[in-house]
Amino acid sequence: MQGKWINKPQGDTSVVFVHGILSGEECWKNDNGAWWPDLLKKQQGFEKTGIYVFTYSTGVSSGNYSIGDAVDSLRELSKLDNLFETAKRIVFVCHSMGGIAVRRFIVKHQKFLSEKQIPVGLFLVASPSLGSDYANWLSIITGAMGHTQAQALEFSQQNVWLNDLDRDFHNLISMENPAFPIRGKELIEDKAWFPQKTGFLRMFWKKQVVEPFSGAKYFGEPYKVPLSDHMSIAKPENADAVQHRLLCQFIAEMPEPGLKAVQSGNQGDSINIKADGDVVFAKDQGKAYNIKNSQIGVVGDNTVIKDGIHFNTK
């Protein structure tokens, strides 16, 4: 489909909105006309933040266009639109299946992201990390049309693709690579939802489309948005809506980008500056000087200085 800049980045952070299944740009639009990317664009303090909206084929007639195809589209459009060339930090705002697509993108392209040393934020909005019982029901309807995306969302031990992604992503965030930090926030829905034209089925469907065990799996302190359902949770009505305020806070608290190693002119000497603030001076093997964060000590040929070399102009 397409990706487009709502606000070209003038600072070091870009935010990418990725919708879910059977949706598009309208995913973020409240009934009162408020559109989440536009709310962020108008938010005080975020005037220089890049805002990018990514859309992909996911209609009922999308057929064999898979989540993997959507991931490939994100890769190609990110190149065409210089997404990773203009930002030093990326925050993905993902609704529903959009979170699965982005997690697959991160796992698949982790080497590239690590080399670029770009901190990645995942703001997951009712995203079914383990699948959804609702998708099991939906796949019955869409299965006749060969809708592969709905099949990939099914909650089942036989859903090998999704279960493998869950394991691979969990392993990735457990590594805590300082050159490629991943931060996350998970919002979960409060109420059940069903399409209006089939409202009579509400008497049978009493649970959320994405239940908490599937939508709050990877990161600490998930938040259930009061009175929200699977659709309204992605459509804040104004800048005071709690999900918008949480997004602004999440962006503001993203870690600083990593600093690459700086090599000295003499062979064998190096200064490595890491994203966590450590500085390591290495003259030769077995003799290293580590500057970290809090105490001073000397052990053999190693000198460790924590919390404390400050430079000023005088």
Side-chain angles (χ1 to χ4, degrees):
M1 295 289 284
Q2 66 175 352
K4 65 179 182 181
W5 287 107
I6 305 304
N7 197 46
K8 287 289 186 72
Q10 302 175 49
D12 58 7
T13 304
S14 286
V15 179
V16 182
F17 285 82
V18 184
H19 62 79
I21 191 171
L22 303 178
S23 187
E25 290 187 5
E26 70 277 6
C27 163
W28 315 108
K29 192 171 185 179
N30 191 279
D31 290 341
N32 67 7
W35 192 50
W36 204 351
D38 195 45
L39 287 177
L40 186 62
K41 179 181 178 180
K42 296 176 180 177
Q43 183 69 37
Q44 184 177 3
F46 290 83
E47 296 85 357
K48 295 183 179 181
T49 300
I51 302 173
Y52 187 84
V53 175
F54 170 68
T55 58
Y56 56 93
S57 178
T58 182
V60 174
S61 61
S62 60
N64 290 325
Y65 193 88
S66 68
I67 296 177
D69 293 326
V71 170
D72 291 343
S73 179
L74 177 58
R75 178 197 65 212
E76 296 304 320
L77 288 170
S78 67
K79 293 178 182 178
L80 290 172
D81 295 331
N82 297 315
L83 184 60
F84 295 103
E85 300 302 322
T86 57
K88 296 179 181 178
R89 284 186 294 242
I90 296 286
V91 173
F92 290 98
V93 182
C94 310
H95 179 240
S96 192
M97 191 180 73
I100 293 175
V102 170
R103 285 194 295 113
R104 175 57 184 155
F105 176 85
I106 292 172
V107 168
K108 186 174 183 180
H109 300 291
Q110 59 183 282
K111 184 176 184 294
F112 165 78
L113 293 169
S114 182
E115 290 173 348
K116 297 286 287 186
Q117 298 197 356
I118 297 178
V120 172
L122 277 178
F123 195 82
L124 299 176
V125 183
S127 182
S129 300
L130 295 177
S132 168
D133 281 341
Y134 181 85
N136 296 358
W137 174 86
L138 185 64
S139 65
I140 297 174
I141 299 175
T142 58
M145 305 183 70
H147 197 284
T148 60
Q149 294 173 15
Q151 296 170 14
L153 290 177
E154 292 181 14
F155 176 65
S156 169
Q157 292 186 27
Q158 282 72 49
N159 191 342
V160 178
W161 185 89
L162 189 57
N163 293 335
D164 283 350
L165 174 60
D166 170 63
R167 183 186 62 247
D168 291 343
F169 183 73
H170 191 275
N171 290 339
L172 178 60
I173 60 177
S174 297
M175 291 171 56
E176 296 185 352
N177 183 351
F180 175 34
I182 301 174
R183 300 291 182 268
K185 182 71 175 179
E186 293 165 305
L187 304 188
I188 52 180
E189 60 211 71
D190 185 26
K191 304 293 184 181
W193 173 88
F194 226 84
Q196 292 182 357
K197 293 183 179 180
T198 54
F200 70 94
L201 290 178
R202 290 180 183 271
M203 67 182 69
F204 304 107
W205 193 271
K206 301 295 184 181
K207 55 188 178 182
Q208 302 99 326
V209 172
V210 178
E211 296 179 82
F213 75 88
S214 183
K217 188 176 189 300
Y218 300 115
F219 308 104
E221 298 183 346
Y223 181 73
K224 180 182 286 186
V225 179
L227 302 179
S228 66
D229 60 36
H230 189 66
M231 297 304 177
S232 66
I233 194 173
K235 307 176 191 295
E237 60 181 354
N238 53 46
D240 292 326
V242 65
Q243 55 266 61
H244 177 70
R245 293 171 61 196
L246 287 170
L247 174 60
C248 292
Q249 181 185 54
F250 181 75
I251 297 170
E253 293 178 351
M254 279 293 292
E256 292 294 324
L259 299 176
K260 296 182 179 180
V262 180
Q263 298 294 331
S264 72
N266 298 322
Q267 186 174 5
D269 298 352
S270 66
I271 301 176
N272 297 320
I273 304 176
K274 299 180 181 178
D276 56 5
D278 299 354
V279 181
V280 180
F281 297 87
K283 179 67 177 177
D284 54 57
Q285 188 173 9
K287 296 181 180 181
Y289 302 90
N290 299 324
I291 301 176
K292 285 198 178 246
N293 252 348
S294 67
Q295 67 193 59
I296 298 178
V298 178
V299 180
D301 290 326
N302 297 294
T303 301
V304 179
I305 304 174
K306 295 185 175 183
D307 197 40
I309 295 183
H310 302 276
F311 300 89
N312 56 39
T313 57
K314 295 182 180 180

